[in-house]
Amino acid sequence: MYYFDTNDENKALQETVWNEDIEENIFEYVRKSESFNYAISDDYKKVDIYMDET
């Protein structure tokens, strides 16, 4: 299931980061990311937000 319609521009957006690997707050990092900014500038079908602790 896709949360937005895929196209050549957005199919390349893929990102993974562990909060231990960055200095700033993980949520601030996400808000500054290219993927997040793309997602909020386009119409999307659904958004799931979750946090997993290991």
Side-chain angles (χ1 to χ4, degrees):
M1 173 202 287
Y2 293 105
Y3 298 119
F4 48 87
D5 294 325
T6 57
N7 59 34
D8 288 338
E9 182 181 11
N10 63 31
K11 72 180 180 182
L13 296 173
Q14 179 177 323
E15 201 170 342
T16 303
V17 65
W18 291 89
N19 66 329
E20 292 89 3
D21 295 337
I22 59 174
E23 296 292 323
E24 64 188 304
N25 178 290
I26 187 70
F27 297 107
E28 290 299 320
Y29 178 89
V30 169
R31 286 185 196 103
K32 293 177 185 177
S33 72
E34 180 183 356
S35 300
F36 181 80
N37 285 303
Y38 178 86
I40 64 171
S41 69
D42 200 11
D43 291 332
Y44 41 87
K45 299 174 184 175
K46 181 180 176 182
V47 174
D48 285 337
I49 300 174
Y50 64 94
M51 184 169 80
D52 187 16
E53 295 186 39
T54 57

